Amino acid sequence: MIYWMLLAFAIVAEITGTLSMKWASVNDNQFGFILMLAMIALSYLFLSFAVKKIALGVAYALWEGIGILFITLFSVFLFDEQLSVLKVTGLATLVAGIVLIKSGTRKPRQERNHAAV
């Protein structure tokens, strides 16, 4: 469970870092770039701890996919970026991919041996 929390922290740090990069470039503010560097570094640090118990492909796909989804959505609300039909379709496909990847990480059920009576 802790490793999934570390992955969640990595995702939040990535989203924060990427959005602060955009904020800094729009507002010409150096603090945003410092925040970006710190958050991206934290993101990779948390991700590196998460992959100790979560498969690398799964962790990276979730980290990047969920990050892209929320960065895009926050960009629409915070920076007035536009969502086209193609972008919405891409995001829907991304969500479907995230669900499929996460579904593939479930451990198979162990069969119970029933004794014959």
Side-chain angles (χ1 to χ4, degrees):
M1 180 66 172
I2 186 99
Y3 295 97
W4 289 103
M5 289 174 50
L6 289 168
L7 181 58
F9 292 149
I11 293 167
V12 170
E14 181 206 10
I15 293 167
T16 304
T18 304
L19 290 174
S20 66
M21 175 179 56
K22 174 70 174 187
W23 177 75
S25 65
V26 168
N27 295 312
D28 199 26
N29 187 324
Q30 298 303 317
F31 173 74
F33 291 118
I34 295 168
L35 180 61
M36 175 200 68
L37 290 171
M39 296 313 291
I40 295 297
L42 273 177
S43 178
Y44 276 102
L45 183 66
F46 286 135
L47 182 63
S48 70
F49 289 129
V51 298
K52 287 184 178 184
K53 294 290 182 183
I54 301 171
L56 177 60
V58 171
Y60 189 78
L62 292 173
W63 176 74
E64 196 63 39
I66 294 170
I68 290 170
L69 175 67
F70 281 100
I71 289 165
T72 302
L73 294 176
F74 282 127
S75 294
V76 169
F77 295 112
L78 297 175
F79 304 115
D80 295 323
E81 293 184 4
Q82 300 299 312
L83 273 181
S84 66
V85 174
L86 285 175
K87 286 182 183 179
V88 171
T89 304
L91 290 174
T93 304
L94 180 68
V95 170
I98 290 168
V99 169
L100 290 172
I101 288 170
K102 180 64 179 102
S103 297
T105 64
R106 292 186 187 143
K107 294 181 181 179
R109 289 185 174 184
Q110 295 179 354
E111 293 183 24
R112 293 183 181 157
N113 294 327
H114 296 287
V117 181

